[in-house]
Amino acid sequence: MRIIRYCLPAALLLVTASCSGNSSGGDPPEVTEAAPARVRRITRAEYDNSVYSIVKNPSPVPMAQLFAPEDTLLGFTTHDRLQVTPLLADQLDSAAERNWGPVAANNLASEYECAAGKDEEDCARAFIRALGARAFRRPVVAEEETDLLELWKAVRKDTSPKAAAEYVIQAVLTSASFLYRTELGESGAPANQVVWLTQQEIASAISFAITGSPPDVELTAAAAAGVLKSADVRESHARRLLKTKQSQQYLQRFIIEWLGLSGLESLNKNNQVFPDFSVAFKDSSRRETLTFIDHVLANEEASIKTLLGADYTFADGRMSLFYGTTLTPDGTIGRVPLPANRVGILTHASVLTTYALFDSSSPIRRGKFVLTRLLCREVPPPPPSIIIIPPAVDPTATTRARFAAHTNNPACAGCHRDLDPIGFGMEDYDGLGKYRTEENGLPVDASGSVVTEDGTHPFTGGAALARFLSESPDVANCVPLQLFRYVMGRDEDTVDARTLEDMRRSFRADPKLKLGDALVALVRSPYFVHRRTTSPE
């Protein structure tokens, strides 16, 4: 028997009062305005992290990568518009039935097996409460316990306790209370009122914000003790979680999505134009970037200053030769110095290849990347009357000369006036990210400029741009906003102004520009732990 549950957030909203946890005394709110109450579907990565803790599996086995891919909003897959579609519901049910159900039934035998002389129904209740509390990130309510116990008894009539436990596990792993995180607040408040999140919701919000995982034992205990309304207590748990491997993995996903590098495995280039390109090259460049990101997170305190401005990378022999730098003694991947014409992750081949065309570089793509992802500037779509066709490759002209026509077109000039000077300044790298001073026998003009809040800044070459951006106050203001969007799963609103101000202040306080400082400021914010109750329709 398969258990297919189409899980909708409305199902949670209907049971707000019973499922939102304790009221912790109904303390008055600390703020007069807050973001709306909501429910959020967990992402594929959060699904995997959650299942590991629920079924107590000793080894991570990524399963959610086989599920329907998630779309992006604001560049991130963590947005709050994710839903359980019919296709995903079927995939979730299959994973619970064929994979996690049997695995969990073996892992959790000590929780559902009943000792001699004990009442089996009591044992089943205890199992359901323990399993449900881990899965739902709060205590199981009476209605849920009754439903799951009835399922247990129905299966147990004709089969073993293990089989009954397996069906209960399937039901839990396909339930709305597992697949959706609640931010509904303490029960009993009238509509359109600012309320505290419940202690369990605060614990989940902290844990998912720092690790992309459900609350651990310490956070769960803090919620049970009712102490998470204290900003200092929230900060202590945030700093503790920032030291974990789960936090490093979560922040790695942030950097990859922030910089638009999720498609590194599927990159393709015309190897007639770029003879260095191959599957091996693609793999080497991808490993370089991921290893460098992991190093920055683990050893440089998640420093964005280092990420953008480092004078070293982690390359194997293939990438070292491509960059023209020294090799590690055995040619395997390791730390090597970058030549003077490269600085930080923006000059990695993987990044430069991502923001290029199949057969050439792309000043427009590279300029838009810097403007939108690093400077948080919006670039409007081109007018409907404009047909977007990149200029044809011309063996007698440079890429800059071919693309300059866009700037000269009055219909395009508005946007390209900001885009092109940035992208033109990165023309010392070809479409594969190889450094060059000539193109088609002609000298490359890599002069450019970038407009920030304090004026126009000229530069020459991608390394100079990367060095400037690593020191730019505009970037230091943009990164916390991007992190806010990633963690909170939504665009910023007027109510978020104070939170973003605190995040930016904490982020800029240390010259290294550490992501953890911005996250701690977010978790400390009173706006992080309050919501406005829904208004009646």
Side-chain angles (χ1 to χ4, degrees), residues 33-47:
E33 188 53 273
R38 62 176 178 169
V39 293
R40 297 176 60 182
R41 202 208 83 190
I42 59 176
T43 67
R44 294 193 297 178
E46 290 168 348
Y47 171 91

Side-chain angles (χ1 to χ4, degrees), residues 137-157:
R137 302 168 288 274
R138 56 166 173 75
V140 175
V141 296
E143 183 181 354
E144 294 165 332
E145 181 180 319
T146 298
D147 288 346
L148 291 170
L149 185 61
E150 288 302 312
L151 174 62
W152 169 285
K153 291 192 291 188
V155 178
R156 180 69 181 96
K157 282 193 299 187

Side-chain angles (χ1 to χ4, degrees), residues 75 106 138 230 375 428:
N106 289 327
R138 56 166 173 75
S230 163
L375 298 174
D428 52 343

Side-chain angles (χ1 to χ4, degrees), residues 120-240:
E120 190 174 282
E121 189 169 309
D122 290 341
C123 293
R125 286 184 185 276
F127 169 63
I128 288 167
R129 289 170 184 166
L131 176 72
R134 293 196 298 272
F136 304 157
R137 302 168 288 274
R138 56 166 173 75
V140 175
V141 296
E143 183 181 354
E144 294 165 332
E145 181 180 319
T146 298
D147 288 346
L148 291 170
L149 185 61
E150 288 302 312
L151 174 62
W152 169 285
K153 291 192 291 188
V155 178
R156 180 69 181 96
K157 282 193 299 187
D158 301 314
T159 185
S160 66
K162 180 178 181 180
E166 196 170 317
Y167 275 94
V168 168
I169 292 163
Q170 289 181 47
V172 166
L173 294 184
T174 55
S175 68
S177 292
F178 165 57
L179 296 170
Y180 286 91
R181 296 162 48 196
T182 67
E183 297 174 8
L184 301 175
E186 296 175 345
S187 60
N192 202 32
Q193 295 295 310
V194 174
V195 297
W196 285 90
L197 294 178
T198 70
Q199 289 287 299
Q200 290 81 16
E201 287 174 334
I202 295 174
S204 288
I206 295 170
S207 188
F208 279 101
I210 305 296
T211 69
S213 305
D216 60 8
V217 172
E218 290 89 341
L219 255 179
T220 300
V227 297
L228 293 178
K229 289 186 177 181
S230 163
D232 290 341
V233 173
R234 296 198 300 273
E235 176 176 347
S236 68
H237 283 284
R239 293 197 180 280
R240 174 179 63 81

Side-chain angles (χ1 to χ4, degrees), residues 81 99 105 169 176 192 238 241 307 320-321 339 342 379 416 420 424 448 455-456 471 487:
R81 298 184 191 177
N99 303 103
I169 292 163
N192 202 32
L241 293 172
L307 186 80
S320 295
L321 291 172
R342 293 186 191 271
V379 177
H416 287 276
D420 292 1
F424 287 151
T456 300
E471 304 275 357
V487 171

Side-chain angles (χ1 to χ4, degrees), residues 304-318:
I304 295 301
K305 174 74 176 295
T306 302
L307 186 80
L308 299 179
D311 60 0
Y312 62 88
T313 188
F314 287 79
D316 60 15
R318 180 177 290 101

Side-chain angles (χ1 to χ4, degrees), residues 9-68:
L12 294 181
L13 290 171
L14 291 172
V15 293
T16 303
S18 62
C19 294
S20 59
N22 60 49
S23 65
S24 301
D27 294 335
E30 292 182 345
V31 293
T32 58
E33 188 53 273
R38 62 176 178 169
V39 293
R40 297 176 60 182
R41 202 208 83 190
I42 59 176
T43 67
R44 294 193 297 178
E46 290 168 348
Y47 171 91
D48 277 338
N49 293 340
S50 298
V51 170
Y52 303 153
S53 64
I54 293 166
V55 308
K56 299 184 177 180
N57 208 55
S59 302
V61 182
M63 187 69 61
Q65 63 184 343
L66 303 176
F67 296 165

